[in-house]
Amino acid sequence: VRSILKTQHLPTPFTMSDPESAILAALSASPEATIPDTYTFSSTHNLDHNQVVGVSKSLEGDAYVKLTELSTSFFVLGKEADSIVNDGSQEMCVLAALIEAGEGGFSMSDLQGLVGKDVCKIGMGNCLKNKWAKKEKDGKLVAVVKMEDVKDEVRELLQQLKEGGGDPKSLDDKDVTALKRRKLISLVTRKSYSIVRGPSYSSTRVKRAADLTKEMLDSGKWKETPFKEYNFKTLGESVGGGYLHPLLKVRAEFRKILMEMGFHEMPTNKWVESSFWNFDSLFQPQSHPARDAHDTFFIKEPAQTVLVPEEYYDKVKTMHEVGGSGSIGYRYDFKREEAFKNLL
């Protein structure tokens, strides 16, 4: 029974601290207390760095703390680089395979089948570049050095960079350029902050009221309540001017299309128009259903227009009756009285 109870006994899980309490407590040691770096602080206290930054900025807004932005750049290793650190570089893998093959060497296809196509492509190129291997007349690849005569410089550089925490200063610029060219490392910039006490610092945060309420005035509590500072110079939200009706949007689109086709706008403040300008000049036949009384509002007084340009009238009449410019027209008798009818 004791062994069972002992086996079932589990340690108490670590409880994540409240970021705000942790920050204020760290600054309570002395007026000169500081948090040098929020990232290190978050790791030490098992806190999420983004939450720590968010709470810090909120505290800064109430003048509890002051923040100074920090920027840290470092290199991170990619998946391929991690594989090299664990298993060695591609060129060392290819060299080992060629040495094991002996003087007979390997054909490119055999080498690809043994070490993999990707490893062979990168590793063979670097082996030939470093003069660790050569290609014979028959196309086979053979090693020209022994394993103990070479060293895996790429693996050593990556290990050195990893042990240095990705510090760019841990490698020469030439080595960094070589690793970046092979896309083994990438530069990352981390933003963090240092924190010191602000003018309103307190070990416990008291939230300030944003509004003055009737209850505060009635009870007199407003005299003791801390309020947030008001920014009287801030601009209010811009007031929107409304939105176009869907039909107005469609009308604007049609207007754009027609004007791009060469049409010109005419005065639109004429509420009464003749059928000639409203229908005939747009080459709508006089027998079209849209020109019936149940679809068009005709005017009783004055029932007809006074005049239209006769020269243009004749051109429109001819176009309707016999056509022109490639059209055969509508082949009917164009009626003057129909064209002169007034409508809304």
Side-chain angles (χ1 to χ4, degrees):
V1 175
R2 289 182 179 178
S3 61
I4 295 175
L5 291 174
K6 187 175 182 180
T7 303
Q8 291 181 344
H9 176 72
L10 298 174
T12 304
F14 182 82
T15 303
M16 182 178 289
S17 304
D18 173 41
E20 181 177 301
S21 301
I23 293 170
L24 295 176
L27 297 176
S28 65
S30 68
E32 292 77 25
T34 179
I35 297 176
D37 192 330
T38 52
Y39 185 81
T40 306
F41 177 82
S42 301
S43 301
T44 304
H45 291 76
N46 194 26
L47 296 169
D48 181 78
H49 184 239
N50 291 330
Q51 289 185 354
V52 170
V53 170
V55 171
S56 300
K57 290 183 177 180
S58 176
L59 289 170
E60 185 183 37
D62 288 341
Y64 278 77
V65 301
K66 289 183 179 179
L67 303 181
T68 303
E69 185 173 316
L70 306 174
S71 180
T72 306
S73 297
F74 56 93
F75 287 107
V76 294
L77 276 61
K79 291 183 178 180
E80 184 180 342
D82 287 330
S83 177
I84 291 175
V85 170
N86 295 328
D87 305 322
S89 64
Q90 294 93 332
E91 48 265 41
M92 293 299 290
C93 180
V94 170
L95 179 60
L98 294 178
I99 291 175
E100 186 176 349
E103 296 181 357
F106 276 125
S107 66
M108 183 63 74
S109 58
D110 291 338
L111 185 60
Q112 288 179 350
L114 182 63
V115 301
K117 188 174 181 180
D118 294 336
V119 172
C120 180
K121 180 180 178 181
I122 299 173
M124 194 64 243
N126 288 323
C127 280
L128 294 174
K129 180 181 177 182
N130 296 335
K131 297 182 179 181
W132 294 353
K134 66 178 182 179
K135 182 179 289 188
E136 298 288 5
K137 293 181 180 181
D138 59 359
K140 288 193 174 183
L141 304 165
V142 296
V144 296
V145 296
K146 296 180 180 179
M147 188 64 74
E148 56 268 20
D149 295 333
V150 299
K151 62 178 181 178
D152 196 346
E153 293 183 358
V154 175
R155 185 181 190 181
E156 291 178 359
L157 291 174
L158 291 173
Q159 287 176 334
Q160 183 178 342
L161 186 63
K162 189 173 184 179
E163 291 170 359
D167 185 1
K169 297 180 181 179
S170 61
L171 295 179
D172 295 335
D173 292 341
K174 181 180 179 181
D175 295 330
V176 169
T177 302
L179 294 177
K180 289 174 69 176
R181 188 181 298 115
R182 290 183 62 167
K183 298 180 180 180
L184 297 175
I185 60 174
S186 57
L187 186 65
V188 175
T189 300
R190 182 180 64 228
K191 299 292 185 181
S192 58
Y193 297 86
S194 64
I195 308 177
V196 297
R197 288 187 178 189
S200 300
Y201 171 78
S202 173
S203 59
T204 304
R205 184 182 190 181
V206 178
K207 290 189 177 182
R208 300 184 179 186
D211 298 309
L212 180 64
T213 64
K214 178 180 180 297
E215 290 75 14
M216 291 180 182
L217 294 173
D218 292 340
S219 63
K221 192 177 179 180
W222 63 271
K223 298 178 182 179
E224 303 172 355
T225 302
F227 288 91
K228 291 184 177 179
E229 294 184 1
Y230 284 89
N231 183 3
F232 294 101
K233 296 182 180 180
T234 188
L235 298 176
E237 292 186 6
S238 58
V239 179
Y243 300 92
L244 286 175
H245 191 278
L247 291 179
L248 292 179
K249 290 183 179 180
V250 173
R251 187 180 74 176
E253 185 66 23
F254 274 101
R255 174 181 174 275
K256 179 182 177 183
I257 293 172
L258 291 170
M259 294 193 71
E260 288 177 350
M261 293 172 62
F263 288 90
H264 296 278
E265 284 188 316
M266 299 174 63
T268 57
N269 58 349
K270 294 179 65 175
W271 302 107
V272 176
E273 188 57 273
S274 67
S275 294
F276 177 79
W277 291 117
N278 197 72
F279 294 126
D280 298 322
S281 61
L282 297 178
F283 306 110
Q284 187 181 84
Q286 292 183 336
S287 60
H288 195 282
R291 300 177 69 159
D292 292 341
H294 59 270
D295 282 329
T296 302
F297 294 99
F298 291 102
I299 305 299
K300 288 184 178 180
E301 183 65 33
Q304 291 191 330
T305 188
V306 179
L307 57 85
V308 296
E310 288 299 326
E311 183 179 354
Y312 188 68
Y313 173 85
D314 291 337
K315 290 181 179 180
V316 173
K317 180 176 182 293
T318 302
M319 185 64 71
H320 276 258
E321 291 182 341
V322 298
S325 300
S327 171
I328 63 172
Y330 292 112
R331 303 299 180 95
Y332 70 96
D333 293 330
F334 189 84
K335 296 180 180 179
R336 187 179 185 89
E337 60 272 18
E338 188 70 27
F340 273 50
K341 286 183 180 180
N342 283 331
L343 53 86
L344 286 178

